[in-house]
Amino acid sequence: VSKRVADGGLEAWRSFLQAHAAVISNIERDLDEHGLVPLIWYDVLVAIQGAPGHRIRMSALADHLVLTRSGATRLIDKLETAKLVLRETADDDRRGAFATLTRAGRDALRRAWPIYARGINERFLAHLSQREVEMMASAFSRIRQASQSS
Amino acid sequence: VSKRVADGGLEAWRSFLQAHAAVISNIERDLDEHGLVPLIWYDVLVAIQGAPGHRIRMSALADHLVLTRSGATRLIDKLETAKLVLRETADDDRRGAFATLTRAGRDALRRAWPIYARGINERFLAHLSQREVEMMASAFSRIRQASQSS
DNA sequence: AAAGATTGAGTTGTCAATCTTC
DNA sequence: GAAGATTGACAACTCAATCTTT
């Protein structure tokens, strides 16, 4: 149909999708086999850890993880049941809730990182040259930025 | 931890994940707004269309789409309810079932493609140079291949 | 009334068990 | 008994409606 897709672009797109699916499911399996938290939980823990004051609003979490609001609520419910996070109500605005890490949450994060990092390295980065890594970082941030608007 | 992730690799990984999530959800929205089939349905239709004889085994479909067997069954159930596909039992091996396209299925495929192609172009390829497109096609096929084994 | 978050109802996807055919 | 596929029970996710605080 369009010129770009015909021009080898479709192949890039397809391999992009398939590579993503394959790498993610492999890393997911790595984590599971080591008795560690699933990838989404890990993302939650990282987001909390990385937020100012080591706590994050539910809605900010939803944005960060490309989830719906209710999706974030459900997710934090489970992490809270697993004693990895805790909800705190904000002092100044009592509508809001913050998610914070428990000791166990910080531990889970620390334990998962080596395996996750190894997965990223071996299943993704190891197959790329330094130039490709740099190119992807720049290309994908461009795409991500453009995706925000529309 | 490892050298690669520290060396800018982590940024490439993160932007890869976020770009994927953003682009997919935008294309999904495009299709929905035009009253077209969701992306997974589209993948099913394409897989059937592209298979020899325009029909595919349930298990082959599951492999192709990175789904479980039962996932494939459920999915085809819905497409069949929507009258887009039909199940045929194989003559030679009556354990197996083939999914085939109906007339409406072929139509749905035809109607969805322009919008999908536009999404791929505008939301993905438009942000990449020709060199980047080529690089990604080669890099991601490498990754995908390596992912098969483990 | 609007922002922040949660809940209820429904949909989609997965695992283990089952059924049929080889 | 094993391969191909389906079903039942259950977990994950989404949308619309709701509740609370501003």
Side-chain angles (χ1 to χ4, degrees):
Chain A
V1 174
S2 161
K3 211 182 303 185
R4 295 301 301 266
V5 289
D7 203 20
L10 188 56
E11 203 193 319
W13 172 251
R14 300 192 94 89
S15 58
F16 170 65
L17 294 187
Q18 294 184 334
H20 178 270
V23 171
I24 289 295
S25 81
N26 278 330
I27 290 182
E28 202 81 65
R29 187 158 48 75
D30 291 343
L31 290 169
D32 185 53
E33 283 174 357
H34 286 80
L36 300 169
V37 293
L39 210 41
I40 304 190
W41 288 29
Y42 184 85
D43 290 341
V44 171
L45 299 176
V46 167
I48 298 175
Q49 184 77 298
H54 302 306
R55 45 188 230 154
I56 193 171
R57 289 259 184 181
M58 298 301 295
S59 52
L61 186 65
D63 290 348
H64 196 74
L65 300 189
V66 196
L67 274 179
T68 59
R69 296 283 158 86
S70 55
T73 296
R74 310 281 192 200
L75 197 48
I76 291 296
D77 283 348
K78 274 158 215 142
L79 288 253
E80 200 168 22
T81 303
K83 311 274 192 199
L84 300 183
V85 312
L86 225 57
R87 277 180 170 90
E88 284 178 5
T89 43
D91 301 337
D92 53 331
D93 181 347
R94 289 210 313 249
R95 289 173 303 182
F98 283 100
T100 66
L101 293 180
T102 63
R103 182 96 171 73
R106 282 186 293 274
D107 287 350
L109 193 54
R110 247 197 308 277
R111 290 210 317 277
W113 171 239
I115 301 299
Y116 186 30
R118 186 149 65 88
I120 296 172
N121 272 314
E122 295 180 359
R123 303 192 177 284
F124 185 71
L125 298 174
H127 305 287
L128 306 176
S129 69
Q130 181 58 34
R131 287 191 52 239
E132 287 173 325
V133 169
E134 286 162 12
M135 186 216 73
M136 284 196 191
S138 110
F140 285 132
S141 0
R142 236 178 292 142
I143 290 178
R144 186 167 48 75
Q145 289 221 319
S147 301
Q148 307 291 28
S149 44
S150 192
Chain B
V1 173
S2 161
K3 210 182 301 185
R4 295 302 301 264
V5 291
D7 202 20
L10 188 55
E11 204 193 318
W13 171 251
R14 299 190 96 91
S15 58
F16 169 64
L17 293 186
Q18 293 183 335
H20 178 270
V23 171
I24 290 294
S25 81
N26 277 330
I27 290 182
E28 202 81 68
R29 189 159 47 75
D30 291 342
L31 289 170
D32 185 54
E33 284 174 354
H34 285 80
L36 300 169
V37 291
L39 212 40
I40 304 191
W41 287 30
Y42 185 85
D43 290 341
V44 172
L45 298 177
V46 167
I48 298 175
Q49 183 76 296
H54 301 307
R55 44 190 232 155
I56 193 171
R57 287 259 184 182
M58 298 300 296
S59 53
L61 186 64
D63 290 347
H64 195 74
L65 300 188
V66 195
L67 274 178
T68 59
R69 296 285 157 86
S70 56
T73 296
R74 309 281 193 202
L75 197 48
I76 291 295
D77 283 349
K78 275 155 215 147
L79 288 250
E80 200 169 21
T81 303
K83 311 276 191 196
L84 299 184
V85 312
L86 225 57
R87 277 179 170 92
E88 285 177 6
T89 43
D91 302 337
D92 53 330
D93 182 347
R94 288 213 312 251
R95 288 173 304 182
F98 283 101
T100 65
L101 293 181
T102 63
R103 182 96 173 71
R106 283 187 292 273
D107 287 350
L109 193 53
R110 247 197 309 276
R111 289 210 318 278
W113 172 240
I115 301 299
Y116 185 30
R118 185 149 65 88
I120 298 172
N121 272 313
E122 294 180 0
R123 304 193 178 284
F124 186 70
L125 298 175
H127 306 287
L128 306 176
S129 70
Q130 182 58 33
R131 284 193 52 240
E132 287 173 326
V133 170
E134 286 162 12
M135 225 181 221
M136 284 197 190
S138 108
F140 285 131
S141 357
R142 236 178 292 141
I143 290 178
R144 185 167 47 75
Q145 288 221 320
S147 301
Q148 308 291 28
S149 45
S150 193

